[in-house]
């Protein structure tokens, strides 16, 4: 009989896999692989997300890794900017490429004609073979509509110094084949790795949650899952959850430390709702239409307990409900560490 996992079982599994129960002493590329990549629309978020997970994280060291091409920043899952290890770039790109293009073709009714897109791709590829190109130049050359379409049909990465702590707008583009090297993975193998990364980072999970995270059709996810030997569980609603054989499942009573998270940390997105890391009564305080950029949050006992912001060079926080004095001291201490990290 399949084991039923409570929300707290799933919460502690997520925290363990996301390295939020205890900071780790691992290289950034390995941490990114264990995390399933890091969402990075706002460049400082990826630095803070790694600071929350890595012991003695070196902020400038991440910028150097971007410059040395050890980690790659690009539009990947859900057509959103992510930071991944160099080894994971092509699997993440090839794994979602077809689905991302099909979604674009379905959703954008006033898209340019195919011939116009093809011509722009050829022209831009030739230009990128000479040098990186800024978004403003793309708009001048092609216009915003074609520039957006090109991004669906030409594999590009964000090139430093853009998209870094010092220069936060990720608006300098290079050709992925020039920056990373040629693709070296089939679509099937790419999707296999992509879904293993998800389950290793966020599992156990329902197939629809994997699809939501990756931006893949559920039918594709089901096909990939059928190729693997996985263990299965049930959640408290009776839904089947799948998981990699060796994914950690800590004791649900494992203590969880205070942790500050950046905007749009992937643990808070809808694919991870089963873990209740962001209680539903607080979701609109973090994500809502008048605040599309999201907001920084902090965890107490494995759940979002409030928000934070940098004001006058200090991290200031607000709790959703009164916290005990002992917990407030822990939150203050972590806020001081994040203030120091900001410099």
């Amino acid at each position: 009989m399949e084991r039923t996992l409570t929300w707290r079982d799933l919460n502690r599994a997520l925290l363990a896999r996301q390295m939020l129960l205890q900071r780790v002493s691992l290289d950034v590329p390995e941490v990114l692989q264990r995390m399933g990549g890091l969402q990075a629309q706002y460049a400082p978020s990826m630095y803070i997300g790694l600071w929350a997970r890595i012991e003695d994280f070196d902020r400038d060291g991440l910028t150097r890794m971007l410059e040395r091409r050890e980690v790659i920043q690009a539009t990947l899952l859900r057509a959103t900017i992510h930071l991944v290890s160099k080894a994971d770039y092509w699997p993440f790109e090839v794994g979602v490429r077809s689905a991302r293009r099909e979604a674009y073709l379905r959703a954008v009714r006033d898209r340019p004609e195919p011939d116009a897109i093809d011509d722009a791709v050829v022209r831009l590829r030739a230009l990128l073979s000479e040098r990186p190109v800024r978004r403003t130049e793309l708009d001048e050359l092609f216009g915003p509509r074609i520039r957006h379409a090109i991004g669906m049909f030409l594999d590009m990465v964000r090139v430093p110094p853009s998209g870094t702590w010092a220069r936060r707008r990720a608006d300098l583009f290079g050709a992925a084949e020039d920056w990373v090297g040629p693709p070296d993975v089939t679509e099937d193998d790419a999707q296999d790795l992509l879904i293993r990364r998800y389950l290793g980072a966020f599992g156990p999970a329902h197939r629809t949650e994997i699809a939501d995270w990756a931006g893949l059709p559920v039918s594709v996810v089901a096909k990939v899952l059928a190729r693997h030997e996985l263990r299965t569980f049930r959640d408290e609603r009776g839904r089947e959850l799948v998981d990699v054989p060796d994914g950690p499942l800590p004791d649900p009573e494992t203590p969880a430390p205070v942790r500050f998270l950046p905007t749009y940390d992937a643990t808070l997105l809808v694919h991870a709702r089963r873990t209740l890391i962001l209680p539903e009564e607080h979701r609109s305080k973090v994500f809502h239409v008048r605040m599309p950029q999201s907001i920084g949050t902090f965890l107490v006992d494995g759940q979002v307990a409030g928000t934070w912001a940098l004001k006058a060079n200090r991290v200031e926080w607000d709790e959703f409900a009164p916290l005990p004095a002992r917990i407030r001291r822990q939150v203050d201490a972590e806020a001081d560490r994040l203030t120091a990290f900001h410099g």
Side-chain angles (χ1 to χ4, degrees):
M1 185 175 179
E2 290 172 329
R3 175 183 169 187
T4 295
L5 299 177
T6 67
W7 74 264
R8 197 169 172 95
D9 287 316
L10 295 169
N11 177 274
R12 290 311 192 256
L14 175 70
L15 296 177
R17 298 175 195 211
Q18 287 291 313
M19 294 152 284
L20 294 171
L21 286 181
Q22 184 175 4
R23 285 184 168 93
V24 297
S25 297
L26 299 172
D27 292 336
V28 168
E30 182 177 351
V31 169
L32 290 172
Q33 291 172 3
R34 288 179 59 176
M35 291 177 67
L38 196 165
Q39 195 158 323
Q41 296 102 305
Y42 178 55
S45 292
M46 61 189 185
Y47 290 80
I48 296 168
L50 291 169
W51 166 84
R53 293 164 167 92
I54 299 176
E55 194 74 44
D56 299 321
F57 173 66
D58 179 5
R59 196 180 74 191
D60 294 335
L62 177 58
T63 300
R64 291 192 293 271
M65 287 184 181
L66 284 162
E67 293 167 347
R68 294 195 299 260
R69 312 183 190 194
E70 297 171 17
V71 296
I72 306 298
Q73 191 178 179
T75 299
L76 294 166
L77 311 175
R78 307 180 306 282
T80 301
I81 301 174
H82 279 72
L83 181 73
V84 297
S85 70
K86 182 178 181 179
D88 273 1
Y89 170 75
W90 280 118
F92 273 54
E93 171 59 46
V94 173
V96 302
R97 180 196 284 153
S98 295
R100 190 176 64 216
R101 290 175 181 175
E102 289 168 7
Y104 166 80
L105 293 173
R106 286 196 308 270
V108 181
R109 295 185 177 181
D110 63 340
R111 61 183 180 274
E113 292 297 320
D115 287 348
I117 297 174
D118 291 344
D119 177 67
V121 166
V122 171
R123 290 168 56 199
L124 178 56
R125 184 66 186 88
L127 182 58
L128 290 174
S129 68
E130 301 172 0
R131 58 178 174 83
V133 176
R134 295 206 180 278
R135 175 176 292 177
T136 52
E137 186 175 359
L138 294 178
D139 287 344
E140 292 169 0
L141 289 170
F142 305 111
R145 285 175 63 245
I146 290 183
R147 185 258 299 161
H148 179 64
I150 292 172
M152 297 293 114
F153 293 91
L154 177 61
D155 299 324
M156 294 186 290
V157 301
R158 280 3 191 249
V159 174
S162 78
T164 62
W165 186 272
R167 191 182 178 285
R168 301 178 176 189
R169 189 176 178 85
D171 61 349
L172 184 63
F173 295 87
E177 289 195 20
D178 297 338
W179 191 256
V180 185
D184 56 359
V185 65
T186 66
E187 184 177 65
D188 281 351
D189 288 345
Q191 291 172 347
D192 284 345
L193 183 137
L194 191 66
I195 289 176
R196 288 200 307 273
R197 288 281 187 258
Y198 180 82
L199 292 176
F202 297 100
H206 189 264
R207 65 184 60 186
T208 59
E209 295 162 341
I210 304 170
D212 288 342
W213 170 81
L216 291 171
V218 176
S219 59
V220 171
V221 172
K223 180 181 175 182
V224 176
L225 292 175
R227 296 199 289 261
H228 295 272
E229 290 188 12
L230 302 169
R231 56 181 176 173
T232 60
F233 303 94
R234 295 283 167 179
D235 66 13
E236 292 176 291
R237 295 163 52 191
R239 298 187 312 162
E240 182 183 66
L241 305 176
V242 296
D243 195 17
V244 287
D246 57 350
L249 286 174
D251 187 307
E253 299 308 314
T254 302
V258 170
R259 285 288 183 265
F260 277 66
L261 299 179
T263 58
Y264 277 116
D265 195 278
T267 58
L268 309 186
L269 302 183
V270 294
H271 69 90
R273 269 182 161 154
R274 66 192 175 280
T275 69
L276 294 189
I277 189 171
L278 176 55
E280 289 303 313
E281 65 265 29
H282 301 319
R283 185 167 290 275
S284 63
K285 301 169 188 173
V286 178
F287 301 106
H288 59 77
V289 293
R290 293 190 301 277
M291 190 177 61
Q293 75 278 8
S294 175
I295 191 169
T297 57
F298 63 89
L299 306 179
V300 172
D301 192 26
Q303 293 189 291
V304 173
T307 61
W308 67 269
L310 189 68
K311 299 178 181 178
N313 295 319
R314 284 202 60 81
V315 170
E316 297 186 7
W317 57 272
D318 293 303
E319 60 210 315
F320 291 151
L323 295 170
R326 175 180 61 86
I327 300 299
R328 292 181 64 85
R329 289 192 292 271
Q330 294 174 17
V331 176
D332 279 336
E334 193 72 359
D336 288 345
R337 286 190 282 269
L338 183 51
T339 295
F341 178 75
H342 275 86

